[in-house]
Amino acid sequence: MKHIDAIAIKSMDRFYRGNLINSVTGFKSANLLATRSIDEIDNVAMFSSVTHLGSNPAMFSFVQRPLGHGVGHTYENLKATGKITLNHVNMNLVDRAHQSSAKYAEHISEFDELDIELLRRDNFKVPFVNEATIQVAAEYVNEYPIKENNCILVICKITDIFIKPDILHKDGWLDISKAGSVAINGLDGYAIAKTKKRLSYAQVDKELEELSIDNDA
């Protein structure tokens, strides 16, 4: 195997290093996070750092990069309004979702600029992405500065979930592959996962059982 040590990593061209380190930890989720400013401008941007934090209360986190230079509209809108939506990206959305990571001016809505169809729901101030098969509404809870790289870990509480009924199993499991959600490899590689197997809850002295991935079973 090729060995790359800490000295080699530090001396790399920053784009090469960025590609390498963003790929080495494996596939990441691809989500469009949507917000609305206090000036009523809708914002949507691609994030690959969304992570499940817990089920009770239901929470997720995302990493906000260092603020400034056109970065941080999602974060600023969330802090101002307390509201955000999470929308899974599918292959039909990939090109437009990827472009949403560009540093657009705060008065420009990526929904309009990139022809991403916006969905408004009654009693929700923040829009959803209409083409997303999994859509989540959430609220700001807390944040933690990451002093090592000046990023911010942002914590959100899930309040509402909208999904296609055929991807929801009787035990609550969502078939993400059936939903068509894509994963990100590194910074710019997009993949579609195929669920091959589900296994029962792991317990000591109890044999694993294979669970059905057929929603009709």
Side-chain angles (χ1 to χ4, degrees):
M1 297 180 73
K2 182 178 179 64
H3 176 207
I4 305 172
D5 62 19
I7 296 174
I9 292 172
K10 188 174 182 179
S11 65
M12 288 174 178
D13 168 82
R14 70 185 186 95
F15 293 107
Y16 185 97
R17 182 174 58 242
N19 284 329
L20 175 64
I21 301 304
N22 272 280
S23 301
V24 77
T25 52
F27 286 112
K28 298 170 287 186
S29 61
N31 291 286
L32 284 168
L33 297 184
T35 55
R36 186 172 175 83
S37 74
I38 57 175
D39 296 324
E40 300 187 338
I41 297 173
D42 298 305
N43 170 269
V44 66
M46 172 78 93
F47 280 77
S48 63
S49 59
V50 173
T51 304
H52 160 80
L53 280 186
S55 301
N56 187 22
M59 297 186 298
F60 66 82
S61 69
F62 68 91
V63 176
Q64 171 60 54
R65 291 180 295 166
L67 301 172
H69 305 291
V71 176
H73 300 152
T74 299
Y75 171 78
E76 292 165 357
N77 293 345
L78 174 59
K79 288 296 295 288
T81 67
K83 306 291 184 180
I84 193 168
T85 69
L86 178 154
N87 307 267
H88 281 219
V89 174
N90 54 50
M91 283 305 300
N92 291 333
L93 274 167
V94 160
D95 289 7
R96 290 167 288 160
H98 184 81
Q99 182 61 29
S100 71
S101 63
K103 298 175 183 178
Y104 290 98
E106 62 181 340
H107 67 275
I108 293 176
S109 170
E110 292 87 356
F111 281 103
D112 297 332
E113 187 74 11
L114 302 176
D115 196 27
I116 297 174
E117 188 176 354
L118 176 152
L119 173 64
R120 298 203 186 279
R121 287 192 167 95
D122 293 340
N123 302 318
F124 291 90
K125 293 182 179 180
V126 175
F128 297 82
V129 175
N130 191 49
E131 294 175 63
T133 55
I134 297 176
Q135 305 166 6
V136 176
E139 298 175 345
Y140 174 89
V141 174
N142 207 343
E143 64 183 60
Y144 298 90
I146 305 173
K147 64 181 181 179
E148 289 79 5
N149 61 4
N150 294 320
C151 290
I152 303 169
L153 182 69
V154 183
I155 314 299
C156 297
K157 178 180 71 174
I158 296 172
T159 60
D160 301 86
I161 300 171
F162 299 90
I163 51 178
K164 299 286 186 181
D166 63 340
I167 68 171
L168 175 62
H169 281 231
K170 294 177 181 179
D171 63 358
W173 180 71
L174 291 180
D175 190 339
I176 302 299
S177 63
K178 190 172 184 180
S181 301
V182 303
I184 298 180
N185 177 4
L187 295 168
D188 51 19
Y190 295 89
I192 298 177
K194 176 65 176 175
T195 303
K196 294 293 187 180
K197 179 183 286 191
R198 289 188 70 201
L199 294 172
S200 60
Y201 185 77
Q203 300 180 65
V204 176
D205 298 327
K206 185 173 181 180
E207 187 175 347
L208 290 175
E209 297 179 13
E210 186 164 349
L211 304 178
S212 173
I213 59 175
D214 184 353
N215 204 9
D216 297 326

